[in-house]
Amino acid sequence: MAQFTPPSSSIPPVPALVHPPDEEANAVIQGALHDLNNLLLIIATYSSLAFNKMAIDSPIRTHIKQAGEAASQAALLSQQIQNALKQGKDL
């Protein structure tokens, strides 16, 4: 079975892949990113709650912590994309 490797602690900048979307597409993308951030917040919050309620010697405690950290890093990446869209930068 493949071993899960948590994402690195620093998120690289988003590379330029496409030109900025038009206003209508931008609004759709912004809405989707907002919804994604809401879901990631739920994952990070429940991961934190579960982590704090677990026994210190629980074998899955580390995995719950990694899930919460991954959700937080994904939220940062989503925020970088939102900021790039707001500034009209290439994605």
Side-chain angles (χ1 to χ4, degrees):
M1 179 189 288
Q3 181 74 15
F4 172 76
T5 304
S8 65
S9 61
S10 63
I11 298 174
V14 178
L17 300 176
V18 296
H19 295 291
D22 60 31
E23 287 184 34
E24 184 176 337
N26 191 339
V28 171
I29 294 168
Q30 290 282 355
L33 288 170
H34 177 78
D35 291 345
L36 176 63
N37 276 332
N38 288 342
L39 294 170
L40 290 168
L41 178 62
I42 292 167
I43 294 168
T45 300
Y46 278 105
S47 295
S48 177
L49 290 171
F51 178 83
N52 290 327
K53 288 190 175 257
M54 287 183 166
I56 291 179
D57 60 346
S58 174
I60 63 169
R61 190 172 161 102
T62 302
H63 302 294
I64 297 296
K65 182 178 180 185
Q66 288 175 343
E69 289 171 351
S72 295
Q73 289 180 349
L76 289 174
L77 179 60
S78 176
Q79 188 62 49
Q80 285 181 347
I81 295 169
Q82 283 182 315
N83 290 340
L85 287 171
K86 287 177 185 176
Q87 295 172 6
K89 293 181 178 178
D90 288 352
L91 296 178

